[in-house]
Amino acid sequence: MISRLHGVLIEADMDSVEVETAGGVVYEVHVPATVAGRLPRPGSEVQLRTVQVVRDDSVTLYGFLEARERDMFQRLLGTTGIGAKLAREMLSTYSARRLAQALANKETAVLTRVSGVGKKTAELLILRLSDKVRDLALTRGGGEAAPRGAREAVNALMALGYSFAQADEAVRGVPDLEGAGEEMKTEELIRKALERIGR
């Protein structure tokens, strides 16, 4: 079982990367888009936490930068009806923390925004994982559901043309959001979220 891979990143795209180890062996590793976007430039050293998925006709490596990402991937794989491809798609749409929050908070609408996840699949995931991923959802604010103003701000950013994932991540990343409850006005949330997106 290959659990970590350390070497030089020689090629990368949004679906997979190639890593050459010190021994000269090149491994192809499939990665979620959320991981691919944070990788160093080709030619740089990289260390990936990996999951080896063995099937009758193939052996595939999936790579992650953080332990939480790998843990989430493994918990998704352990759920009936969720294969490696769909698990990777879910982690390409959301960060591991955000995905864990959606499951823990039973946000069906958030999960159905993942390609390949319908309402029934989302409900099944929530039923089987909501209590099992709370540790991965923990943040300074305890992973609690966003206040109504935050949800309205996300909808407003989507109306401006941003994807749900971009809008949701930007709003949740506003420093004063946690603990603000309903006190922070939607307009102020939108302004601060736009500032984050523009960085």
Side-chain angles (χ1 to χ4, degrees):
M1 179 70 70
I2 301 172
S3 63
R4 293 202 190 197
L5 193 61
H6 181 259
V8 177
L9 183 66
I10 59 175
E11 191 171 320
D13 58 35
M14 294 306 288
D15 294 318
S16 63
V17 300
E18 290 186 350
V19 178
E20 183 175 7
T21 65
V25 179
V26 177
Y27 289 88
E28 180 182 30
V29 186
H30 294 270
V31 296
T34 53
V35 171
R38 290 156 39 225
L39 289 171
R41 294 181 179 181
S44 304
E45 284 195 4
V46 66
Q47 178 171 280
L48 296 173
R49 298 170 185 267
T50 57
V51 175
Q52 187 175 345
V53 177
V54 180
R55 294 181 176 175
D56 291 339
D57 58 349
S58 66
V59 178
T60 308
L61 274 181
Y62 292 86
F64 310 91
L65 290 172
E66 300 175 5
R68 177 160 42 186
E69 294 167 333
R70 182 171 65 180
D71 287 349
M72 175 56 78
F73 183 78
Q74 290 174 315
R75 293 182 203 191
L76 289 170
L77 282 185
T79 304
T80 303
I82 304 299
K85 184 177 180 181
L86 182 54
R88 182 169 69 100
E89 182 64 31
M90 294 181 76
L91 284 166
S92 288
T93 306
Y94 300 110
S95 68
R97 178 180 63 83
R98 180 64 187 104
L99 183 56
Q101 287 177 339
L103 289 164
N105 295 327
K106 302 180 180 181
E107 299 176 71
T108 305
V110 171
L111 297 173
T112 56
R113 292 185 181 274
V114 178
S115 177
V117 176
K119 185 178 179 181
K120 287 185 178 180
T121 300
E123 291 173 347
L124 177 64
L125 283 167
I126 288 170
L127 178 66
R128 296 184 174 174
L129 290 172
S130 61
D131 291 332
K132 297 179 180 178
V133 299
R134 292 191 184 280
D135 59 316
L136 301 180
L138 290 178
T139 63
R140 286 182 299 154
E144 297 157 271
R148 185 182 62 181
R151 296 194 294 272
E152 292 174 352
V154 168
N155 289 333
L157 290 174
M158 289 174 63
L160 292 175
Y162 294 101
S163 70
F164 177 84
Q166 285 177 309
D168 186 67
E169 192 72 23
V171 170
R172 284 183 177 270
V174 172
D176 298 331
L177 177 62
E178 294 176 354
E182 302 293 342
E183 295 177 6
M184 185 179 292
K185 293 183 179 179
T186 302
E187 293 80 5
E188 186 179 359
L189 266 176
I190 294 171
R191 179 179 59 78
K192 291 186 175 183
L194 284 170
E195 289 175 359
R196 286 184 57 81
I197 293 174
R199 286 177 187 174

